[in-house]
Amino acid sequence: MSAPTVVPLIAGEPVHSPAPGAEWWRHAVIYQVYPRSFADGNGDGVGDLPGVTRRLDHLKQLGVDAVWLSPFYRSPQKDAGYDVSDYRDVDPLFGTLEDFDEMLAGAHQRGMRVIVDVVPNHTSDQHVWFQEALAAAPGTPERERYMFRDGRGLAGDEAPNNWQSIFGGPAWTRLAPGEDDGPLGPQWYLHLFDSSQPDLNWENPEVRTEFEDVLRFWLDKGVDGFRIDVAHGMIKAPGLPDWAGKVAMVEGTDPGAPEDGATGAGNNGPMFDQDGVHDIYRAWHQLLAGYDGDRCLVAEAWVEPLSRLANYVRADEMQQAFNFAFLTTPWNAPALRTTVNVSLAAMDEVGAPSTWVLSNHDVVRHASRLGLSAEASAGPLNGIAAHDPQPDEELGLRRARAASLLMLGLPGSAYLYQGEELGLPDHTALPSEVRQDPAFFRTEGAEAGRDGCRVPLPWSADDAGFGFGPTAATWLPQPASYARYAADQQYGVPGSTFEMYRAALEVRHAHELGQGRLAWVEAYADSTDVLAFQVNDVVVVANLGESPVALPAEAEVLVASGPLGSGDGSGVADDGVTLPLDTTVWLRAL
Ligand code: BGC
């Protein structure tokens, strides 16, 4: 191999400057806790709020600014809590309202904010409203809270339209015959997800008032914000027209370098991203503005292109939106550069921070995704089964660390999914008998579903259940390999994934990268292998190519995602440092 040439890391003109505004959410690193899998306090094998409280010091040590908790509300758990039966109470599985207060106070004492999930598109079928609707006649106010319709055909026995559920199968379920049925027989109700998750009718003012009250309930408790589930789904096109397009939440990635940041991961069609949905967020913006502190709303909206996503974070709407275009961009330098540019430009247009996210509870963890061949990773991203092509765990971890360090260098707000700070992969061989995701059942196993990324965290290598709780019980089995990822194997260990994240967050804060200006390094501006940019006084260089990249000898390394090459054997002069493939480094700008 010929010696790589050292090129100066000189940045060009900034392509992004932070919008004015000192609010914490403009640059926060936010850690997603998936309560059932984070830490178990009572030994029943399911994580809970006391478990979260007990592990708050882990998050403090990591250095995150805020925690977002997935739902812990009362729920029959048909979709792991995204089927809420009481929005103002904690499910006994997770503890009590007092446990919530304690967790919130513990986080606040440690200087961390807390965001909770709100699921407004649908309730559980066990919610009192849906039970009332079932007991009521067609056309009554009880039915008007949901999306009930007569069927098509002379006997009303065909679904009102051809929409499919995101979890597979039809999006309509017909009620059992009742006394009040009209000539068309029992009505049908819409569920974009599982049949146990009926969609609410957001054209009905009563629904709006109810959710404003739910928001107030949690704001009064002191939460710092809300993550809005399926934020693009609440308003449907008038007349609910037929539509046979794709409804999958995460379909796959467009391997090209998308000009508009569209990777193929967005939902469209008459059930999503209707302009009317924005009125809801304008009202909620006002509601939050009535509270002290900088409370925020975060959109979970799988919409494309990024200019459509930006509509959700206009100045009078939400504060942030998850950047799924970034999550679904392949590990490819030009594609990532385009996504970063398009993301920053789209959000700058409306004065909002861009967010960055690589993993969450709905997708294969990036440590597994990035260990798949390009071909395999272009398929559905929401689960890997034993019979699917398996990720290369070592490659996946190396790339995941490089991708995370790249992400944490970007200005704006970054989301971490619990366990990624340990480098956790998915469980990619869960047996069918233990799977719980409704997507697995509704597709009759054609989709593995999302259980693989939801496996209980390993805290200590030598304890039963890897220290998830006081007993060996874990609601999903952990793979044996989780022993080597356990938190206690990583604390204070130089080079561990946890220590890399911790160091990166420390530098990110000290150098105010979240609030920074971003400029691409000129020499690599069009590189097909290397991504290099400067934010404030830090230069981030990621090598996605085959050949090592020579770094200026005088460069001071602040954090690296893996071992750097040196003069011996790497082909550069003795005092040279090289950046191996699939590695990211942060350098102090010269
Ligand atoms: C959540 C999923 C959930 C779905 C239905 C989402 O997008 O993140 O976990 O299954 O909404 O509530």
Side-chain angles (χ1 to χ4, degrees):
M1 190 187 299
S2 60
T5 327
V6 180
V7 301
L9 300 175
I10 299 167
E13 285 300 307
V15 295
H16 160 81
S17 301
E23 299 94 339
W24 66 275
W25 44 260
R26 291 192 174 274
H27 49 81
V29 175
I30 303 175
Y31 183 100
Q32 179 186 1
V33 166
Y34 192 65
R36 60 170 43 236
S37 303
F38 185 68
D40 178 12
N42 64 3
D44 65 356
V46 181
D48 46 37
L49 294 175
V52 179
T53 306
R54 208 160 301 163
R55 294 291 184 182
L56 284 173
D57 283 331
H58 172 83
L59 304 180
K60 179 69 191 161
Q61 203 187 338
L62 180 60
V64 298
D65 303 296
V67 180
W68 147 41
L69 286 105
S70 281
F72 46 78
Y73 313 112
R74 265 191 196 269
S75 158
Q77 304 292 325
K78 289 279 174 51
D79 184 21
Y82 281 95
D83 50 321
V84 181
S85 57
D86 184 346
Y87 290 84
R88 297 178 188 79
D89 202 3
V90 171
D91 195 278
L93 197 57
F94 300 120
T96 61
L97 279 171
E98 289 68 41
D99 292 330
F100 175 82
D101 293 337
E102 206 173 308
M103 186 277 306
L104 182 65
H108 282 166
Q109 273 157 20
R110 289 168 178 80
M112 295 182 288
R113 320 247 178 181
V114 174
I115 292 176
V116 297
D117 224 297
V118 174
V119 188
N121 180 66
H122 45 265
T123 69
S124 158
D125 60 357
Q126 300 306 307
H127 191 283
V128 61
W129 272 8
F130 195 71
Q131 292 299 314
E132 285 171 7
L134 291 182
T140 54
E142 287 80 1
R143 291 250 170 131
E144 279 306 304
R145 293 165 175 156
Y146 292 91
M147 305 288 287
F148 283 94
R149 294 288 185 279
D150 288 330
R152 293 199 279 202
L154 289 178
D157 52 5
E158 288 165 36
N161 70 22
N162 67 352
W163 294 1
Q164 296 293 298
S165 150
I166 286 171
F167 291 160
W172 294 92
T173 291
R174 195 174 199 189
L175 301 183
E179 286 169 14
D180 298 316
D181 292 339
L184 288 176
Q187 285 197 303
W188 299 69
Y189 67 91
L190 176 69
H191 50 87
L192 292 183
F193 294 89
D194 189 49
S195 56
S196 63
Q197 295 166 293
D199 277 49
L200 285 161
N201 172 16
W202 275 85
E203 309 287 354
N204 181 343
E206 192 187 358
V207 172
R208 296 189 186 219
T209 309
E210 168 67 3
F211 272 87
E212 288 178 4
D213 197 61
V214 168
L215 295 185
R216 279 196 205 93
F217 178 86
W218 294 100
L219 288 166
D220 290 342
K221 281 201 163 289
V223 305
D224 301 286
F226 302 98
R227 176 261 191 196
I228 309 304
D229 191 60
V230 200
H232 56 319
M234 282 117 86
I235 298 291
K236 280 81 180 172
L240 311 182
D242 271 345
W243 191 71
K246 157 183 96 70
V247 289
M249 219 164 19
V250 189
E251 181 68 6
T253 57
D254 181 334
E259 288 304 309
D260 58 359
T263 60
N267 300 130
N268 43 30
M271 64 292 277
F272 288 119
D273 197 25
Q274 300 297 307
D275 290 338
V277 84
H278 296 287
D279 291 340
I280 301 169
Y281 303 127
R282 290 193 189 99
W284 289 7
H285 180 103
Q286 292 302 326
L287 193 156
L288 265 67
Y291 281 81
D292 61 355
D294 299 318
R295 318 259 182 143
C296 67
L297 296 164
V298 185
E300 188 231 13
W302 290 85
V303 302
E304 289 191 334
L306 281 153
S307 53
R308 286 297 295 183
L309 187 67
N311 288 342
Y312 290 75
V313 289
R314 288 177 285 199
D316 59 348
E317 296 195 36
M318 301 209 227
Q319 281 69 25
Q320 291 189 345
F322 289 107
N323 186 346
F324 295 125
F326 182 70
L327 187 153
T328 49
T329 298
W331 187 238
N332 165 295
L336 282 165
R337 191 181 299 115
T338 303
T339 299
V340 168
N341 278 331
V342 178
S343 303
L344 291 171
M347 299 303 142
D348 284 350
E349 191 71 27
V350 290
S354 184
T355 66
W356 311 103
V357 58
L358 288 164
S359 285
N360 66 30
H361 65 292
D362 289 329
V363 300
V364 173
R365 288 175 174 278
H366 61 292
S368 295
R369 235 165 49 221
L370 296 175
L372 291 170
S373 64
E375 224 171 31
S377 66
L381 289 176
N382 66 350
I384 297 175
H387 58 259
D388 289 326
Q390 293 292 300
D392 173 336
E393 203 164 319
E394 202 185 311
L395 174 71
L397 180 59
R398 189 165 75 238
R399 288 186 169 172
R401 290 172 52 127
S404 298
L405 201 55
L406 175 72
M407 170 176 86
L408 292 172
L410 290 166
S413 178
Y415 277 83
L416 307 181
Y417 176 49
Q418 66 179 35
E420 71 170 80
E421 78 281 20
L422 305 175
L424 273 196
D426 266 33
H427 193 322
T428 56
L430 281 171
S432 305
E433 315 81 81
V434 303
R435 290 199 179 268
Q436 302 204 13
D437 185 353
F440 173 76
F441 298 104
R442 291 186 62 91
T443 60
E444 290 167 357
E447 276 186 29
R450 302 159 294 174
D451 295 304
C453 64
R454 299 173 173 182
V455 173
L457 292 195
W459 292 95
S460 44
D462 297 331
D463 291 321
F466 301 130
F468 176 59
T471 65
T474 58
W475 70 277
L476 283 174
Q478 300 156 305
S481 71
Y482 271 26
R484 63 172 181 271
Y485 296 97
D488 72 343
Q489 302 299 296
Q490 303 202 30
Y491 291 143
V493 176
S496 70
T497 305
F498 181 84
E499 290 302 328
M500 180 201 83
Y501 270 81
R502 204 190 47 68
L505 293 189
E506 207 171 285
V507 175
R508 182 181 160 93
H509 281 127
H511 294 253
E512 299 190 338
L513 302 187
Q515 300 98 299
R517 288 148 64 98
L518 182 141
W520 296 99
V521 168
E522 282 175 339
Y524 292 115
D526 300 315
S527 168
T528 49
D529 296 335
V530 179
L531 280 173
F533 56 86
Q534 181 168 340
V535 178
N536 294 344
D537 59 344
V538 173
V539 177
V540 176
V541 189
N543 183 3
L544 287 74
E546 294 288 324
S547 321
V549 172
L551 301 173
E554 62 282 18
E556 182 193 340
V557 174
L558 299 171
V559 200
S561 71
L564 300 178
S566 67
D568 46 69
S570 63
V572 287
D574 281 349
D575 58 350
V577 175
T578 55
L579 183 66
L581 79 162
D582 293 330
T583 309
T584 299
V585 68
W586 290 6
L587 306 168
R588 190 186 292 277
L590 295 170

